[in-house]
Amino acid sequence: MKLLIQNANYIAFNGEKVQTDILIENGIITKIEKKIEVDVERKVDAAGMLVSPGFIDLHVHLREPGGEKKETIATGTLAAAKGGFTTVAAMPNTRPVPDTINHMEDLQKRIRETAHVRVLPYASITTRQLGKELTDFEALKEAGAFAFTDDGVGIQSADRMLEAMRKAAKADMAVVAHCEENSLINKGCVHEGSFSEKHGLNGIPSVCESVQIARDVLLAEAAGCHYHVCHVSTKESVRVIRDAKRAGIRVTAEVTPHHLLLTQDDIPGLDANFKMNPPLRDAADRAALIEGLLDGTIDFIATDHAPHTLEEKSEGMELAPFGIVGLETAFPLLYTHLVLKNIISLEELIGFLTLKPAKSFALPYGKLEVGAPADLVLLNLNKEKEVDPSGFLSKGKNTPFAGWKCKGWPEMTIAGGRIVWEKGV
Ligand SMILES: [Zn+2]
């Protein structure tokens, strides 16, 4: 299949915006030139639109198998496509957990048959994510695991984590960690701070996260493995990661759009669409996360897309499950509230969603160049629209951003040379 994108605005390597045509043949970008004259099956007039490499989200919960009421691989990856994402990495807290070759092969089959964009499956670090017995890293790598994580829970025992990191180093794979010291969770449902005090709720203190990151960077140094920190949320965590990087430890880190945009002060009341793990922290934490992103301490942005049903999210702040959806709103929210407010540049934002995650995990995606896989998104930077959960393609409508006015909505997403989503079709 041949596809020609015409008149798109493209940010060249020197940061200059130029107008260009892009020819796609058999899933690959074969030409990027000012004017391309050729017979093709489909021409797309992208005048006035910005073309970016397809976004990469390395932290997504697709829920399948086992959680199909919340999301499926089909609905989650269609939501990804609508949000401009062409590669997502799927977290392993499913039923069953991808902790054996059989489970991983079943997951791969489901992905092959139903995914709209590229899905990189995580395997778990421990059997059933119970934090005890390690999975067979070499065999799971062979079966296509992208990296290892027990996301949703922290690995509590230091000796188990060290052993996992040594095995990962041997297999040349990354250990990806949700950091929470269980003895400090305090049965919290929000951050321990002004909001928890005001509403008489148990709070999760910042140190619950940062203390485990501090332990882990030292373990990673001892093991010599690539250690990646999920959804960094506190200023102390940023400091620990910054120090670890300075010491030459092989650590990378991600931050979510909601931790970059919201704090506990933005929670309007006992609304579980503002309940996620880690929780929304303090204004000083948010400032440190932005600073950490800008100085390279935090490597990239990932959504932690975590769909739940309306019934589950209606159970109140204490009982509802943690998590919010993020795939369909990430770019417009970040563009409107960070780029248009001159906090980060457009080039930087695109980098945090494309080249930076790709580089962190040595993936061959995230760039627009001849010979690269044709993963791209056309963005309308001028159109303003409200976030409307009723229009989400994800089964999850659980967002704290309903009603937010944003610019920068995707109009078409192409993954592996195929149009996987386009506006109004
Ligand atoms: Zn997590």
Side-chain angles (χ1 to χ4, degrees):
M1 157 113 181
K2 274 192 197 178
L3 183 66
L4 182 63
I5 313 288
Q6 295 177 302
N7 310 311
N9 287 317
Y10 162 70
I11 305 176
F13 287 114
N14 58 9
E16 228 174 89
K17 260 194 210 164
V18 291
Q19 213 181 59
T20 193
D21 289 0
I22 299 172
L23 180 64
I24 295 165
E25 294 174 276
N26 302 320
I28 304 290
I29 297 174
T30 52
K31 239 184 217 181
I32 303 178
E33 282 170 18
K34 191 151 180 44
K35 201 95 223 132
I36 301 172
E37 302 284 354
V38 65
D39 278 339
V40 291
E41 276 104 318
R42 170 120 191 235
K43 281 183 188 171
V44 176
D45 183 9
M49 267 179 273
L50 182 79
V51 60
S52 161
F55 303 143
I56 298 170
D57 189 346
L58 297 183
H59 196 136
V60 167
H61 297 272
L62 295 177
R63 305 299 190 202
E64 182 181 350
E68 288 85 349
K69 258 195 334 195
K70 299 172 193 274
E71 194 79 290
T72 63
I73 291 167
T75 59
T77 54
L78 198 56
K82 188 180 171 195
F85 291 90
T86 52
T87 300
V88 299
M91 283 299 174
N93 58 340
T94 49
R95 292 289 171 270
V97 171
D99 54 3
T100 64
I101 299 185
N102 279 350
H103 293 161
M104 181 53 82
E105 282 175 349
D106 170 65
L107 177 60
Q108 298 274 28
K109 184 167 175 280
R110 290 167 184 264
I111 291 167
R112 269 197 311 278
E113 287 171 359
T114 64
H116 294 271
V117 302
R118 188 178 297 109
V119 178
L120 309 172
Y122 282 104
S124 63
I125 296 172
T126 63
T127 302
R128 291 167 57 211
Q129 295 194 279
L130 293 175
K132 299 206 167 82
E133 194 189 329
L134 295 184
T135 57
D136 186 341
F137 284 17
E138 294 283 352
L140 286 162
K141 179 187 179 182
E142 193 80 2
F146 161 62
F148 297 96
T149 184
D150 274 6
D151 184 53
V153 279
I155 303 269
Q156 299 305 307
S157 128
D159 73 333
R160 193 53 29 87
M161 191 55 147
L162 182 59
E163 197 190 339
M165 287 178 171
R166 284 190 172 133
K167 268 178 69 173
K170 231 172 121 199
D172 195 20
M173 295 281 273
V175 167
V176 173
H178 167 114
C179 294
E180 246 185 329
E181 165 57 48
N182 282 358
S183 63
L184 297 173
I185 291 177
N186 191 30
K187 292 192 186 132
C189 58
V190 292
H191 173 61
E192 184 181 85
S194 55
F195 185 88
S196 67
E197 270 164 40
K198 183 174 164 204
H199 293 274
L201 295 167
N202 279 9
I204 309 169
S206 292
V207 71
C208 174
E209 171 180 298
S210 52
V211 74
Q212 198 162 83
I213 298 175
R215 178 201 75 179
D216 282 358
V217 293
L218 294 169
L219 294 175
E221 181 179 34
C225 87
H226 173 199
Y227 168 67
H228 176 77
V229 190
C230 291
H231 42 53
V232 176
S233 73
T234 79
K235 58 184 190 306
E236 295 81 8
S237 305
V238 175
R239 191 181 68 217
V240 167
I241 296 164
R242 184 177 291 126
D243 288 349
K245 283 194 168 185
R246 275 192 196 136
I249 297 169
R250 214 174 139 205
V251 53
T252 54
E254 73 192 29
V255 62
T256 69
H258 46 278
H259 290 107
L260 290 170
L261 299 177
L262 298 172
T263 70
Q264 60 183 349
D265 303 330
D266 297 305
I267 311 176
L270 300 176
D271 178 351
N273 283 332
F274 289 78
K275 177 179 180 181
M276 68 290 284
N277 192 8
L280 298 175
R281 306 280 188 188
D282 200 33
D285 296 299
R286 177 180 175 237
L289 294 171
I290 291 171
E291 193 191 346
L293 194 59
L294 287 172
D295 74 11
T297 301
I298 297 175
D299 296 84
F300 59 86
I301 298 171
T303 69
D304 194 5
H305 176 81
H308 293 291
T309 65
L310 192 62
E311 296 71 45
E312 290 167 322
K313 275 300 198 183
S314 306
E315 286 169 15
M317 206 56 138
E318 282 168 295
L319 294 177
F322 290 102
I324 60 167
V325 291
L327 287 167
E328 290 168 78
T329 53
F331 185 83
L333 284 168
L334 294 165
Y335 175 69
T336 307
H337 296 280
L338 293 181
V339 174
L340 293 181
K341 292 182 181 167
N342 296 316
I343 297 168
I344 67 174
S345 72
L346 177 60
E347 290 82 351
E348 282 169 328
L349 175 58
I350 288 177
F352 293 136
L353 292 167
T354 58
L355 204 54
K356 298 295 268 315
K359 270 196 170 158
S360 299
F361 283 83
L363 295 169
Y365 316 123
K367 46 193 169 195
L368 278 186
E369 58 184 32
V370 171
D375 295 345
L376 47 100
V377 53
L378 299 177
L379 299 160
N380 186 335
L381 297 183
N382 299 315
K383 188 177 76 180
E384 192 171 57
K385 206 180 80 176
E386 271 185 21
V387 172
D388 174 14
S390 72
F392 286 173
L393 297 178
S394 167
K395 287 192 184 184
K397 316 296 176 195
N398 45 313
T399 175
F401 296 107
W404 282 43
K405 272 204 179 113
C406 298
K407 291 183 175 180
W409 295 91
E411 300 247 331
M412 178 183 279
T413 305
I414 296 169
R418 284 186 315 115
I419 298 172
V420 288
W421 181 81
E422 67 184 297
K423 198 191 83 179
V425 174

